[in-house]
Amino acid sequence: MRVVLLGATQGMGRALARRLAARGETIALLGRSRRDLERSARDLELRGARSPVATAECDLEQPEGFERALDSIEDQIGVFDTVVVSAALFASQAELEEDPELTRRLLDLDFTATVLFCEAARRRLLERGGGGTLCVFGSVAGDRGRKPVVLYGAAKAGLAAYLEGLDHRYHARGLRVVCVKPGFVRTAMTAELKPPPFAGEPDAVAARVLRAIDRSTPVIYAPAPWRAIMAVIRLLPRAVMRRVDF
Amino acid sequence: MGGRRWGTLESVGERLTTMRRTPHEHAEHYELISGWGGQPVRARQVRTSDLERATRGAVLSRGLGRSYGDSSLPPSNHPVVVNTTLADRLLAFDPDTGLLHAEAGLTLRELFEVFLAQGWFSPVSPGTWNVTLGGMVAADVHGKNHHVAGCIGEHVTRLTLRVADGRVLECSREEEPELFRATLGGMGLTGHILEVELQLERIPSPWIIAEQLRLRAIDELIVGLERSAHDWPFTVAWVDCLARGAQLGRGVLIRGRWAEPEEAPAGVPTPYRRPSVPWTMPDGLMRGPLMRLFNAGFYAMHRSSPRARIVHPQAFFYPLDAIAHWPRLYGRRGVTQYQCVLPRAARPGAARRVLETLSERGGASFLCVAKDCGAEGTGFLSFPMPGVSLALDLPIRDDTPALVAALNERVIEEGGRIYLAKDAFTRREHFTKMEQRLKDWRSVRDRWDPTHSIRSAQSERLLGNAQ
């Protein structure tokens, strides 16, 4: 496997990259901070990734840099066959409602910029490798419009619809799309939040995601119980959803 | 531990997964955190992989919280602590020399998983692998091989610290040596440990050869430990403190060494899963006849002549991890550990007198471990000294503070001292009396942190509020 990861210096992406490293895969990291990329690259090399781990600066907020970053990765590791996107921005509904600029930024990043990056990755996977795997972290928040995640959920719902369409359109040409829908996972982002039932650990999520990549599972919930939880939430009548707070 | 709190579904929805934080502050989440022995306090943990940012102006850093008492708990008037466990990257490793450079939140378990198969391992292992490098340095931990390897600090070559004035700097035996010495065993009070450079030990194989033999009394055990120390790098003794009369302190001596390649089984020992205590058990389970029976059974299981066998290194080094969350067995009030070291220069029978003080006071310790200690370490406050260390697990009861005070008085009389990583109840005047090196350590701390802005619940208890 030759894997490019965007957002793998932290959290679930970091855990997934370490599992890939332990298998001796060829890894390339994209991220915002040069220093962070270098440190993560050394970490992955020492954990077994093929050395050297490639790095290139790439900020989701600057889509004009996507092609350049992917060019740089191709210069370093050649044609890649798997792309993983775990970078995203989160803010609570209350914060977003107070701050239209933050709302614009979140919608841009979690939908528009992520889709643009996926498009750039998709083109390369199809043109250069004749297919491959595109694994993108969505969220259970995208499964239904809900009070606490109206805006964030909308962006993630759009992303999920895009990924499903991509799967339908390009499956025959060899593109495998994996949409990851994490529930609550204990990472730096959720550090100050009260963990709910079924909160997951990044490494356990990573194990599930890696299996999904290996088997080309189109949609994967992690931790596993969230699949059932969201199945129930999707079935609740509107009258109920208006009353409850989740 | 510290009581898992079920959130409402509202918080489930509201706090869904994210990978990048907004500059906005989330509502602050306070949780119950405790040392390994229990006794939780309400505090907020700042968790991030960017320790350099998080420790700016922070009052204390905390790793996996395996110290038993309040070493890793923030002071009561500032209940916020930086949690280092997400800063766990390996930064450099030289396969020729074994020199490792890593972030402070890296765990010993990760070291085990990554390096054992490559023929390298930490030269010092405490009784659990659920410790971070930063925590190991802060407590200057020791292991079964203290008599030959010393504490972890003897193998630390460089530290990156955020000191109280906000600077990030490096210290070592050459660079800021006083700060370096004060930080080894300094319980995180001289600065936040951000990165650690550690000399790993080359091992002949990843397997252990161990023998166990039983001995009839504490004095025999201590002689056994001393004698075994000549031939064996790893020695430890399990002591039955519940046996009565002449049998007080009978026990099992365990000694081991790394297996040579020709003795070792093929393959690499892989980490295995272990059972867990799922809930806090009813109070009073770990008491009385049941424990006496267990101890007698454990003693009877062993022979009085040794027989060598191959042992999985996880089982050999980390008996404390054999059952996850075992302090839950001690009920809601939890457990404390009393660990002291008694100098070899003390009058003979010092260990027996400590055990007698325990049983006179009606204290019951289900688990007691004796270890042989070698030379004093580089750290100003490093725990071991040449002699024998005793570690007693004590269920927390109303009279535990008084029992600890009585044990402390006995230890002061014998010229010994206690291990801060285990302590939850020692009083300030006892600590001052047993720790002659405190003045040197304090002068370094005062120089680097005159206002004592870095402090812990333990430092307030043992050094005073004014510190």
Side-chain angles (χ1 to χ4, degrees), chain B residues 310-461:
Chain B
I310 291 280
V311 184
H312 194 295
Q314 185 183 348
F316 184 76
F317 286 118
Y318 311 115
L320 287 183
D321 299 329
I323 301 173
H325 300 294
W326 60 262
R328 287 175 179 168
L329 292 171
Y330 283 93
R332 276 169 309 155
R333 298 190 73 178
V335 61
T336 186
Q337 189 172 87
Y338 185 82
Q339 184 168 2
C340 60
V341 58
L342 304 163
R344 196 150 289 147
R347 290 168 300 136
R352 170 170 284 274
R353 287 192 292 278
V354 170
L355 295 189
E356 280 165 0
T357 304
L358 174 73
S359 57
E360 276 161 24
R361 283 263 165 186
S365 173
F366 161 51
L367 189 73
C368 172
V369 172
K371 269 188 288 229
D372 190 54
C373 291
E376 204 162 75
T378 306
F380 281 119
L381 290 186
S382 179
F383 161 68
M385 63 168 85
V388 64
S389 139
L390 286 178
L392 310 161
D393 280 5
L394 305 171
I396 295 177
R397 308 188 306 208
D398 290 340
D399 63 350
T400 303
L403 174 62
V404 169
L407 290 166
N408 278 337
E409 276 161 22
R410 166 56 52 199
V411 167
I412 290 166
E413 227 165 278
E414 305 288 355
R417 57 179 174 242
I418 56 147
Y419 189 13
L420 291 178
K422 307 290 179 74
D423 179 57
F425 293 102
T426 290
R427 296 205 299 255
R428 190 180 171 191
E429 66 268 22
H430 284 151
F431 180 63
T432 316
K433 254 188 223 164
M434 65 178 68
E435 194 46 270
Q436 275 85 37
R437 306 166 300 174
L438 194 56
K439 214 170 124 257
D440 297 335
W441 180 81
R442 272 194 147 140
S443 76
V444 180
R445 185 194 187 201
D446 289 346
R447 195 155 65 236
W448 288 93
D449 185 8
T451 61
H452 299 159
S453 61
I454 300 175
R455 57 196 196 280
S456 65
Q458 186 176 52
S459 79
E460 293 199 333
R461 173 167 58 83

Side-chain angles (χ1 to χ4, degrees), chain A residues 47 86 90 152 189 192 226, chain B residues 12 17-19 29 110:
Chain A
R47 287 167 190 270
S86 59
F90 176 78
Y152 178 74
M189 305 318 121
E192 292 174 24
W226 285 88
Chain B
V12 179
T17 170
T18 72
M19 285 98 219
H29 163 56
E110 293 262 301

Side-chain angles (χ1 to χ4, degrees), chain A residues 9-10 12 14 18 32 35-36 39-40 42-43 46-47 59-61 86-92 95 99 102 105 109 137 139-141 146 148-149 152 182-184 187-197 226 245-246, chain B residues 4-31 44-50 52 86-93 100-101 103 106 110 114-115 118 194-195:
Chain A
T9 55
Q10 292 189 41
M12 291 179 277
R14 178 189 283 190
R18 284 180 174 172
R32 282 177 303 168
R35 179 170 185 266
D36 229 18
R39 288 166 82 91
S40 285
R42 297 297 86 73
D43 180 61
L46 292 169
R47 287 167 190 270
D59 188 341
L60 258 188
E61 286 188 279
S86 59
L89 174 67
F90 176 78
S92 73
E95 287 165 344
D99 188 344
L102 179 64
R105 201 174 143 228
L109 224 126
F137 282 60
S139 168
V140 294
R146 291 183 290 118
V149 284
Y152 178 74
F184 189 103
T187 64
M189 305 318 121
T190 58
E192 292 174 24
L193 314 178
K194 194 191 285 181
W226 285 88
D245 283 326
F246 54 85
Chain B
R4 182 142 49 149
R5 328 251 321 267
W6 298 129
T8 58
L9 264 181
E10 177 186 4
S11 66
V12 179
E14 193 172 350
R15 313 303 194 183
L16 288 171
T17 170
T18 72
M19 285 98 219
R20 190 192 293 185
R21 277 193 67 103
T22 67
H24 292 243
E25 285 295 311
H26 287 299
E28 292 181 342
H29 163 56
Y30 281 77
E31 58 189 313
R44 189 160 68 84
Q45 296 199 71
V46 179
R47 275 176 220 264
T48 164
S49 49
D50 188 354
E52 232 183 274
L86 293 178
D88 63 347
R89 284 181 289 203
L90 302 165
L91 299 173
F93 178 68
L100 171 76
H101 182 204
E103 293 176 336
L106 185 80
E110 293 262 301
V114 174
F115 290 104
Q118 300 180 35
L194 306 179
E195 291 168 20

Side-chain angles (χ1 to χ4, degrees), chain A residues 23-175:
Chain A
R23 295 204 319 201
E25 310 286 6
T26 301
I27 295 176
L29 297 176
L30 297 175
R32 282 177 303 168
S33 150
R34 162 104 343 241
R35 179 170 185 266
D36 229 18
L37 286 170
E38 290 303 329
R39 288 166 82 91
S40 285
R42 297 297 86 73
D43 180 61
L44 296 170
E45 286 162 6
L46 292 169
R47 287 167 190 270
R50 178 157 314 174
S51 195
V53 166
T55 60
E57 281 170 84
C58 179
D59 188 341
L60 258 188
E61 286 188 279
Q62 290 170 340
E64 62 279 9
F66 292 167
E67 295 293 343
R68 197 176 55 236
L70 290 171
D71 284 342
S72 163
I73 292 301
E74 280 186 352
D75 289 344
Q76 295 174 67
I77 65 165
V79 174
F80 48 83
D81 52 42
T82 304
V83 176
V84 179
V85 184
S86 59
L89 174 67
F90 176 78
S92 73
Q93 183 64 18
E95 287 165 344
L96 291 166
E97 285 180 359
E98 279 167 24
D99 188 344
E101 176 51 30
L102 179 64
T103 301
R104 190 196 58 73
R105 201 174 143 228
L106 181 136
L107 294 174
D108 270 358
L109 224 126
D110 289 349
F111 182 73
T112 312
T114 304
V115 168
L116 288 173
F117 181 84
C118 290
E119 284 294 287
R122 183 223 10 120
R123 277 192 295 274
R124 288 183 193 235
L125 287 171
L126 288 172
E127 283 165 20
R128 301 204 182 40
T133 301
L134 177 61
C135 170
V136 185
F137 282 60
S139 168
V140 294
D143 275 14
R144 183 147 197 207
R146 291 183 290 118
K147 285 180 184 177
V149 284
V150 175
L151 292 157
Y152 178 74
K156 290 295 189 180
L159 184 61
Y162 160 76
L163 292 170
E164 184 178 359
L166 211 57
D167 174 65
H168 296 165
R169 187 168 170 88
Y170 293 107
H171 190 271
R173 286 178 58 189
L175 186 71

